[in-house]
């Protein structure tokens, strides 16, 4: 990867990215309260299972087709008037975006995905990369990009920042793992050194899964993930209250 692209990748996974990802725990607290995640070893097992079979793996596998649809939509729009020519790409994009969102069973999880996606799209628009064909805002109103969930917004960021596979997939997985470890440091509780040790230990798996998922069909990886959805539904507000207290 070129130096400039690597630096843009660092920016995309930075905890300073203003999308609110740090405030979500994906239902981790209910597993801690149930005694199923009481130490670093148990947390590692859960993270490895999610990287292999969880919703985050499906979303990472979807980045390539999302990027392809977004690229086609962007290029058609750049070619000139004729929105109907970009309709197939838009339809593919929004259908896949909706399918991914449906994998998040709990309303709170879907709200999280939409909030983070909207925040990232707004940031990219403010930086000069609005989604193709974004409607002009009313006079005096701030522009609002169309609603897309986090994976599609992440794919648009990768396209705008000229990030390629499998780096983009690795970054998606890395950012998710980092957020979960950050939550675990507060909830398990887990010492910060143990958290860093775990992040290092998971690096080979993240690289392996990133490469594999870049070439995978997300629909072939579908799984229910009911437990994670129910956990978030039952304890959706707990973690955010911990941050506000």
């Amino acid at each position: 990867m070129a130096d400039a692209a690597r630096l843009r990748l660092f920016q995309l996974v930075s905890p300073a990215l203003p999308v609110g990802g740090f405030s979500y725990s994906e239902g981790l607290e209910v597993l801690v309260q149930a005694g199923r995640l009481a130490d670093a070893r148990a947390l590692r097992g859960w993270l490895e299972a999610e990287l292999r079979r969880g919703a985050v793996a499906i979303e990472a596998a979807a980045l390539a087709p999302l990027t392809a649809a977004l690229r086609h939509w962007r290029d058609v729009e750049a070619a000139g008037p004729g929105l109907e020519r970009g309709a197939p790409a838009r339809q593919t994009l929004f259908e896949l975006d909706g399918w991914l969102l449906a994998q998040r069973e709990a309303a709170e999880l879907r709200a999280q995905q939409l909030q983070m996606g909207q925040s990232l799209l707004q940031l990219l628009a403010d930086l000069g990369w609005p989604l193709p064909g974004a409607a002009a805002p009313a006079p005096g109103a701030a522009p609002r990009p169309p609603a897309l969930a986090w994976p599609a917004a992440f794919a648009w960021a990768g396209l705008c920042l000229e990030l390629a596979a499998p780096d983009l997939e690795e970054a998606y997985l890395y950012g998710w793992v980092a957020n979960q470890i950050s939550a675990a440091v507060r909830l398990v509780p887990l010492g910060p050194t143990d958290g860093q040790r775990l992040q290092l230990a998971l690096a080979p798996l993240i690289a392996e899964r990133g490469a594999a998922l870049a070439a995978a069909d997300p629909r072939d990886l579908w799984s229910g993930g009911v437990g994670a959805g129910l956990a978030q539904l039952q304890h959706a507000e707990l973690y955010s209250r911990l941050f506000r207290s």
Side-chain angles (χ1 to χ4, degrees), residues 136-144:
R144 293 288 293 172

Side-chain angles (χ1 to χ4, degrees), residues 116-208:
M116 290 179 62
Q118 195 71 10
S119 294
L120 181 56
L121 291 175
Q122 186 63 61
L123 173 64
L124 292 167
D126 292 342
L127 293 174
W129 291 302
L131 276 176
R144 293 288 293 172
L148 288 172
W150 176 243
F154 200 89
W156 178 240
L159 187 59
C160 295
L161 298 173
E162 300 179 353
L163 303 174
D167 298 314
L168 190 65
E169 288 78 6
E170 288 180 6
Y172 192 89
L173 297 175
Y174 179 93
W176 181 86
V177 167
N179 277 341
Q180 300 315 299
I181 291 177
S182 176
V185 167
R186 295 161 175 79
L187 292 168
V188 171
L190 192 73
T193 300
D194 285 337
Q196 291 300 308
R197 185 178 291 117
L198 181 54
Q199 187 83 55
L200 284 171
L202 289 172
L205 179 59
I206 291 173
E208 172 194 319

Side-chain angles (χ1 to χ4, degrees), residues 70-86 132-133:
L70 284 161
R71 179 183 290 110
H72 182 67
W73 185 17
R74 180 196 64 184
D75 292 348
V76 166
E77 291 290 329
L83 289 178
E84 66 283 353
R85 292 182 294 119

Side-chain angles (χ1 to χ4, degrees), residues 58-114:
I58 298 173
E59 291 166 358
L63 292 176
L66 287 168
T67 299
L70 284 161
R71 179 183 290 110
H72 182 67
W73 185 17
R74 180 196 64 184
D75 292 348
V76 166
E77 291 290 329
L83 289 178
E84 66 283 353
R85 292 182 294 119
R90 288 201 313 277
Q91 182 176 352
T92 298
L93 170 68
F94 283 97
E95 284 181 353
L96 183 51
D97 175 72
W99 181 80
L100 290 169
L101 195 59
Q103 308 306 306
R104 302 288 190 157
E105 299 89 347
E108 289 80 4
L109 280 169
R110 293 192 292 274
Q112 166 194 327
Q113 294 291 90
L114 287 169

